[in-house]
Amino acid sequence: MVPEREFPGSILVETTLRCPADCVFCPNKKISTRPRDMSWDLFKKIVDECRGKGVEEFYPFINGEPLACPFLEDALEYVSGNLPDASIGIYTNGYLLDRQKSAMLLKHNVHEVHFSIDGVSKQVYEEHRRGLVYEQVMANVMSFLSQCRQQDSKITTRVVLTLTPGNKREVSAFRRLWKGLVDIVDVIPCDGRGGEGRLSAYEDFKMWGCFHVPYRTYILTDGSVVACCKDWAGYTVLGNVAEESLASIWNSGEYHKLREDVSRGVFSNFEVCRRCIEDRL
């Protein structure tokens, strides 16, 4: 068994819920009970509490588009200045990635940029990423990759297709298109986190397991701490960093029990886990 960590090694912070897309598998547009943006003071508090704790990864996003965050550049500067050993990662749909934002990511030493692109053809892509324009996304991503090459950037680039019944036929073409253009090409089955009216979990997703729970934590815009990226609705809130420290929440009896349950394959004691295995997220 992996030894218990005294502090999470990977932190995901939901800086914003803003997003120009309405993707078929995403719950973003269903979230209405918490702030659209995290407050700057709360964000700084989280980063301050991570100093000297061995944090290895920091991602300023969960259920929104990070490039839409009003304070993203300040956030990147604050994280890189206070957590110099942490790898900063961005997941983006690419729609807002103009040259100015590309330069910002390069300037602040973002270590990883992951692009979510769920099709090769315009029709399939726009059926999945509703509200976005395929040609603009492709132009933005290609421009960013060109800037990376021109500056000999060390950023790791990754393109991800979320696999659904609607885009399965484009997987081979997707891999051919992006091979050699980015460092990593991934196809990941839809995890079904969208709830009613969205896509259910697809194919072998449940075989992946809960590999992130012992190592990673998630903080929503209102400060709520949840154990999993799939807990978009806050089904199992383990504490709130606006009211107590992240360290105390991580080391609480409830959080410890959840991690222990997951390590033993027990999914009956917490609502988010029950919903996950029943595909009711």
Side-chain angles (χ1 to χ4, degrees):
M1 182 177 293
V2 178
E4 273 277 303
R5 298 182 61 97
E6 295 183 359
F7 199 84
S10 180
I11 313 287
L12 278 81
V13 179
E14 189 179 69
T15 53
T16 188
L17 288 168
R18 300 170 190 253
C19 185
D22 183 21
C23 303
V24 296
F25 37 65
C26 179
N28 175 275
K29 296 300 186 280
K30 299 175 67 175
I31 302 171
S32 60
T33 58
R34 58 181 185 265
R36 193 179 189 194
D37 301 307
M38 177 175 282
S39 75
W40 174 239
D41 287 342
L42 180 56
F43 181 84
K44 289 196 298 181
K45 177 181 185 292
I46 294 165
V47 175
D48 291 346
E49 291 183 8
C50 292
R51 283 201 300 261
K53 298 294 179 61
V55 173
E56 298 166 350
E57 301 173 348
F58 195 100
Y59 299 90
F61 84 100
I62 300 179
N63 291 299
E65 166 56 52
L67 298 183
C69 174
F71 58 83
L72 179 61
E73 183 161 17
D74 290 335
L76 295 176
E77 184 173 9
Y78 200 75
V79 174
S80 61
N82 286 277
L83 306 177
D85 296 325
S87 171
I88 303 174
I90 294 285
Y91 280 67
T92 176
N93 58 45
Y95 189 69
L96 302 177
L97 188 64
D98 56 22
R99 292 190 67 84
Q100 182 179 1
K101 288 188 171 65
S102 294
M104 175 182 68
L105 299 184
L106 290 164
K107 174 183 176 183
H108 292 289
N109 298 317
V110 171
H111 297 80
E112 305 170 6
V113 178
H114 307 248
F115 301 104
S116 299
I117 302 179
D118 302 305
V120 171
S121 66
K122 176 179 175 67
Q123 178 180 346
V124 169
Y125 173 84
E126 292 182 359
E127 286 173 352
H128 286 73
R129 297 268 162 181
R130 296 180 302 206
L132 304 187
V133 178
Y134 178 72
E135 293 87 350
Q136 180 172 333
V137 170
M138 291 296 290
N140 288 350
V141 174
M142 294 302 181
S143 176
F144 177 79
L145 296 175
S146 176
Q147 288 182 67
C148 287
R149 290 191 295 270
Q150 291 170 10
Q151 298 187 29
D152 195 23
S153 169
K154 305 302 182 185
I155 291 179
T156 297
T157 55
R158 174 175 177 249
V159 172
V160 182
L161 179 143
T162 300
L163 184 65
T164 74
N167 63 17
K168 183 177 181 180
R169 66 185 182 275
E170 295 201 347
V171 168
S172 295
F174 176 83
R175 293 189 186 279
R176 289 195 302 270
L177 172 63
W178 292 105
K179 183 179 180 181
L181 293 176
V182 295
D183 297 305
I184 302 168
V185 180
D186 264 343
V187 176
I188 300 177
C190 177
D191 63 11
R193 80 179 71 176
E196 294 180 9
R198 302 289 179 171
L199 296 180
S200 58
Y202 186 53
E203 289 193 346
D204 60 350
F205 181 82
K206 292 178 184 178
M207 297 170 58
W208 286 42
C210 301
F211 56 89
H212 51 277
V213 170
Y215 174 71
R216 179 174 288 174
T217 199
Y218 300 78
I219 307 171
L220 307 181
T221 57
D222 63 356
S224 296
V225 175
V226 296
C228 177
C229 61
K230 296 167 75 171
D231 196 357
W232 60 272
Y235 294 116
T236 301
V237 174
L238 299 156
N240 192 301
V241 292
E243 302 165 357
E244 53 188 316
S245 71
L246 180 55
S248 65
I249 295 169
W250 177 262
N251 291 294
S252 68
E254 184 180 24
Y255 210 150
H256 175 80
K257 177 168 176 51
L258 188 148
R259 294 194 297 271
E260 185 179 62
D261 279 3
V262 167
S263 71
R264 294 188 295 115
V266 176
F267 303 107
S268 58
N269 293 321
F270 294 90
E271 183 177 359
V272 66
C273 300
R274 292 193 296 268
R275 284 178 173 268
C276 182
I277 63 172
E278 295 170 4
D279 203 10
R280 293 190 297 111
L281 288 165

